[in-house]
Amino acid sequence: MACTTESVAEALRAVASVVAEHRVELIELDRAIGDADHGENLNRGFTAVVAAIETVPETPGAVLKTAATTLISKVGGAAGPLYGTAFLRAATKLGDRSEVDAEAVAELLAAALEGVRARGKAEVGDATMVDALAPAVEAARGAVADGVAAVLTAAADAADRGAESTVDLVPRKGRASYLGERAVGHLDPGARSTALVLRALAEAAK
């Protein structure tokens, strides 16, 4: 079943709820290897997104574009530009479509990954959100035949595994990279939040 404009807006409300639920967890993960603002910043950003889409835009792409511009304007640090770019690339990929099918979901996730890579200059193995998002894209593409919910569930499962892989990595990007080997053993907060966002989207699609 394809996603409508309203279901995309509802999925973003679910993301906001999950981010709020895990705000403290993300703060603590970031406190260990960063500046402890990831959970607070994302919570503020997605709370603003919910307010911005109270009057739901006309198309799924417009909903995602509203989320993108809101995150860029409301979220400080690296998270705002990275998440904002991801949503903006996804919105651009959708264009004026009135519904989003499974293939389109996989395509917009790939576009989001391209945007994050372009913005953050990170690759798999750098211990960033790319370590969650890149395997999610690959898994999503492999589940297109099974529908939207299957695509997002496969992406969320892969993102969980990708995020967990950052525990064993030496960070090569962001504030955590200053710690070098001392950061090994810590889950990257950006990878964790990416996995949480994808899980929220997957649950909303069921």
Side-chain angles (χ1 to χ4, degrees):
M1 186 173 68
C3 298
T4 64
T5 303
E6 178 54 43
S7 62
V8 172
E10 189 58 32
L12 288 181
R13 296 184 192 105
V15 169
S17 177
V18 167
V19 168
E21 181 184 345
H22 290 269
R23 180 182 68 86
V24 173
E25 176 196 348
L26 294 173
I27 288 172
E28 293 307 316
L29 287 174
D30 198 25
R31 190 187 309 281
I33 56 174
D35 48 14
D37 65 354
H38 190 61
E40 197 63 55
N41 282 343
L42 277 192
N43 185 49
R44 181 173 63 255
F46 279 104
T47 298
V49 167
V50 170
I53 61 173
E54 186 172 345
T55 299
V56 178
E58 292 185 354
T59 64
V63 174
L64 296 180
K65 186 175 182 180
T66 298
T69 55
T70 303
L71 291 170
I72 291 170
S73 66
K74 298 291 185 182
V75 180
L82 288 170
Y83 270 100
T85 299
F87 277 98
L88 192 58
R89 291 291 186 95
T92 301
K93 191 70 180 179
L94 283 180
D96 295 328
R97 296 182 191 207
S98 59
E99 291 189 336
V100 187
D101 61 16
E103 185 174 0
V105 171
E107 289 175 356
L108 71 85
L109 289 176
L113 172 62
E114 289 173 9
V116 169
R117 279 176 162 155
R119 173 67 68 175
K121 312 298 183 191
E123 294 297 337
V124 171
D126 287 342
T128 71
M129 60 193 294
V130 171
D131 286 287
L133 192 52
V137 168
E138 185 176 349
R141 284 171 166 158
V144 164
D146 298 322
V148 171
V151 165
L152 288 170
T153 298
D157 290 346
D160 281 339
R161 294 190 293 272
E164 286 297 326
S165 75
T166 64
V167 172
D168 298 323
L169 297 174
V170 177
R172 293 196 290 257
K173 296 290 181 182
R175 191 178 295 268
S177 66
Y178 302 151
L179 298 176
E181 295 281 350
R182 287 178 293 159
V184 174
H186 294 281
L187 183 64
D188 179 73
R192 174 60 174 154
S193 65
T194 298
L196 287 171
V197 167
L198 288 170
R199 182 64 63 192
L201 295 175
E203 291 300 317
K206 290 180 179 177

